[in-house]
Each structure stands twice: as C-alpha cells, then as structure tokens.
C-alpha cells in the first residue's frame, strides 16, 4: 500500500541496504549475492518498497537495472543510516563487554610511510583487540571510499584554493576534521646558489632563517610530484608571476630526491613526503617565504566517531598528528 499524501514514507533499514547494494552492483542478482540473499527475495523487497512509496525505485536498462531518482535519494542516505546502525551495534557491544572491532583505514601514499605505521603501532599497543585494514588511495579516491562505505576513516589532504579539492562538493554529508598543517618545502641540490646551510634533515629553525622566494627559482628546471601537487606548484608560481619549467614528473618521492641530488632540477614537496624518505646528504631543504602549506584531514561518515573502534582510531590519529588544528565535535 502506498503512503497517503502528507504521510511520511514507510522506510526501513533493510530496504535501504537492498537499494544501496543494487546501486553499487548494478544488478539485482549481484546485489542478492553481495547481501547473501536469493534473487527473488531482493526483487520482492524492492517491489514491497515501491508499493509503500508509490514510486519506482529501479528501472530496467538492457540486462541490468539502475536506480530512479527516488532510488538514488534512498541510496544516498543509506550510507548515513548504515553508519548510525553500526555505531549503535558497537555501543551495545561495548555494554555487553565485547571489545573487538574493525576499522577500515584509507590514506594517501606519503602517509603510508609516516602517519599510518605510527597509527597502527599505537593501536596495536593500546587496542590490540581492534583490527585495522588499510587501503592506499589519493584523497579523491579515499573520500569516495568513505562515501561508498568501503572505508570508515580516511586521512586526506587539501591545498588552499585547490579548484578540485575533494573536500568540497564530493564530501558533502561526510564529517571532515582538520588535523594539522603540512608545510611545503623546497628541495635543492647541494651546491645550489640558494642552498646555503647544512644539507639533509629538516631543521625547522634553519629552514625559517633560510626561506626562499619561489620567484628566485623562476629560471630553474622543476621536478614535479603527484598530479595535485603539480597543480599546486603551478598555482603558486602563477601567483609569483612565472610558469615553472617542469622537465620531469614522478609520483615517486625517492625518485624526486634522486633527480634533485643529480642536479636535474629543484622540487617543492610536503614535509610529510620528505619525512617518508628521510634525510639525504645530497639535498638541502628550505621553506618558502610564503610559508606555503597543505592541510591534513580525517574524513568519516557523520556519526562514525561514535563507533568505539573508529573513535579509538581517530583519537590515536589526532595524537600522532600534533600540532592539532582541530578535531571533530558534535
């Protein structure tokens, strides 16, 4: 029976799970397999839902199906509902004395060698009963993983003024917490005219004293990093009135260091990326006069921090991400 005008639609969590599964798999048969149901059971569930709503939820497309506008609305809200139900289940489990849990973590590559190992080590020491799985993904993919319920917690980054920042429209309806600034630093070969001071490690006081204006490197060859890092470099140089001559591009931070050491060019890298490869005797690290930076974030579904296992992972992440700019509040 369809609902009467002015009456709220009769929805339930089970129906939302079915709609979300159909949206993610593209067919009723695949959705049934993902949920562990029979194909007729899923079809019946969808038929009952459509009768209650008085609206079509799925439509046939060739040999498969796709969601109607009403179905897409339900699928969009299903992630939040699933997170809330998981939170309730975790809290009940805590009350029952069940301390185990699972956190699905996603993070970008340079965090894989820095923040992630520290997070996993501390979680093992303090919460050995909590299992953590890890997916390496750049911020757009990591945000999508949270939205699609393939990850519970994502470590991401954004650049000021980034036109393709995944924390804007694509993160609507998710929880985005700021962790800290990550300074953008210049990597110069030893012997470069502007590379005065000791090579190797990032010594913050020395970095501050020897800050370099990007405009002074307008005539240099540049080694560029990941696509979003390249975009940020282009934007910063444009503000300084020049277009960088990018001669080499690689996502491999160690390769960037090798090219700079060989005198092939100079580079601009986040401090976290530099930390991931450690000090190198053949390079000098310097800050920019503009104190250019990116911001590190934690992304999760709304309410996910109320899940005890996720909350423990988030608290640990905040602790190793000092100095902390902000943490999520309800």
């Amino acid at each position: 029976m369809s609902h009467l005008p002015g009456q709220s639609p009769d929805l339930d969590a089970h129906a939302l799970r079915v709609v979300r599964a159909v949206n993610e798999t593209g067919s009723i048969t695949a959705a049934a397999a993902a949920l562990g149901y029979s194909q007729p059971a899923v079809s019946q569930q969808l038929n009952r839902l459509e009768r209650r709503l008085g609206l079509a939820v799925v439509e046939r497309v060739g040999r498969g199906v796709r969601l109607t506008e009403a179905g897409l609305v339900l699928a969009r809200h299903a992630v939040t509902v699933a997170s809330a139900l998981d939170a309730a289940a975790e809290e009940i489990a805590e009350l029952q004395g069940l301390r185990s849990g699972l956190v699905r973590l996603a993070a970008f590559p340079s965090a894989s060698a820095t923040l992630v190992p520290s997070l996993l080590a501390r979680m093992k020491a303090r919460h050995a009963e909590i299992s953590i799985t890890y997916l390496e993904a750049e911020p757009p993919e990591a945000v999508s993983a949270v939205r699609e319920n393939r990850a519970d917690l994502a470590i991401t980054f954004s650049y000021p003024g980034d036109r393709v920042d995944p924390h804007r429209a694509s993160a609507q309806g998710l929880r985005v917490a700021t962790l800290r600034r990550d300074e953008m630093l210049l990597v110069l070969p030893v012997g470069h005219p502007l590379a005065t001071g000791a090579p190797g490690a990032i010594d913050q006081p020395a970095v501050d004293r020897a800050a370099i204006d990007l405009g002074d490197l307008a005539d240099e060859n540049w080694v560029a990093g990941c696509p979003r890092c390249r975009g940020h470099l282009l934007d910063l140089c444009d503000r300084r009135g020049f277009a960088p001559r990018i001669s080499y591009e690689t996502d491999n931070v160690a390769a960037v260091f090798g090219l700079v050491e060989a005198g092939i060019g100079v580079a601009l890298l986040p401090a976290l990326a530099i930390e991931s490869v450690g000090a190198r005797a053949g390079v000098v690290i310097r800050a920019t006069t503009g104190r250019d930076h990116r911001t590190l974030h934690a992304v999760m579904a709304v309410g996910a921090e109320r899940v005890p296992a996720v909350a423990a992972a988030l608290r640990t992440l905040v602790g190793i991400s000092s100095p902390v700019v902000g943490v999520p509040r309800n």
Side-chain angles (χ1 to χ4, degrees):
M1 179 182 295
S2 62
H3 69 282
L4 298 174
Q7 187 179 29
S8 297
D10 183 13
L11 298 175
D12 62 78
H14 182 63
L16 289 179
R17 285 195 179 98
V18 169
V19 173
R20 192 177 98 197
V22 172
N23 187 49
E24 291 175 348
T25 63
S27 78
I28 293 176
T29 301
L35 294 170
Y37 302 145
S38 67
Q39 188 269 342
V42 170
S43 295
Q44 291 169 11
Q45 178 70 39
L46 290 171
N47 289 335
R48 285 195 296 270
L49 176 61
E50 290 179 333
R51 287 198 299 271
R52 291 200 301 268
L53 295 179
L55 293 170
V57 173
V58 298
E59 58 185 1
R60 293 284 178 183
V61 179
R63 295 185 177 181
V65 297
R66 68 183 177 192
L67 297 185
T68 63
E69 184 177 0
L72 290 172
V73 169
L74 295 176
R76 187 172 68 248
H77 288 283
V79 174
T80 301
V81 172
S83 177
L85 290 174
D86 288 344
E90 285 273 2
E91 290 184 25
I92 293 298
E94 284 284 309
L95 292 175
Q96 293 173 332
L98 180 61
R99 302 290 177 174
S100 62
L102 171 66
V103 178
R104 298 165 298 168
L105 175 69
F108 53 94
S110 59
S112 295
T114 51
L115 295 179
V116 172
S118 296
L119 173 62
L120 296 180
R122 292 198 188 186
M123 286 293 291
K124 182 177 180 180
R126 300 175 182 176
H127 306 282
E129 68 283 357
I130 296 177
S131 300
I132 299 180
T133 62
Y134 179 55
L135 167 69
E136 185 174 275
E138 292 288 355
E141 292 73 30
V143 171
S144 295
V146 173
R147 178 172 295 285
E148 295 165 6
N149 197 31
R150 293 184 288 110
D152 302 301
L153 179 64
I155 305 172
T156 64
F157 65 85
S158 66
Y159 288 107
D162 189 350
R163 290 185 291 273
V164 293
D165 185 356
H167 303 87
R168 293 177 182 167
S170 61
Q172 286 184 359
L174 299 178
R175 193 85 163 100
V176 181
T178 299
L179 295 172
R180 66 173 170 91
R181 286 168 57 111
D182 188 22
E183 299 297 327
M184 298 298 296
L185 301 172
L186 287 162
V187 185
L188 308 175
V190 169
H192 189 283
L194 296 179
T196 57
I202 307 172
D203 178 64
Q204 197 61 44
V207 165
D208 290 341
R209 287 196 302 271
I212 296 172
D213 191 303
L214 282 181
D216 292 336
L217 299 169
D219 296 327
E220 297 287 341
N221 289 320
W222 287 82
V223 181
C226 73
R228 294 185 63 232
C229 297
R230 287 197 293 274
H232 186 58
L233 172 64
L234 291 170
D235 183 56
L236 290 176
C237 293
D238 182 64
R239 294 182 211 170
R240 265 64 164 199
F242 75 98
R245 186 169 59 248
I246 298 176
S247 302
Y248 301 89
E249 300 181 15
T250 174
D251 294 342
N252 187 325
V253 178
V256 173
F257 269 59
L259 290 167
V260 173
E261 281 185 303
I264 302 300
V266 299
L268 182 71
L269 292 174
L272 201 64
I274 294 173
E275 181 186 343
S276 71
V277 298
R280 299 282 285 264
V283 302
V284 173
I285 310 298
R286 291 290 174 264
T288 65
T289 53
R291 296 307 301 268
D292 301 306
H293 68 281
R294 66 181 181 178
T295 304
L296 304 186
H297 307 280
V299 180
M300 69 211 85
V302 173
E305 65 267 37
R306 294 197 296 272
V307 178
V310 176
L314 180 61
R315 285 194 302 270
T316 304
L317 176 60
V318 168
I320 65 175
S321 299
S322 181
V324 176
V325 178
V327 294
R329 302 288 185 191
N330 289 326

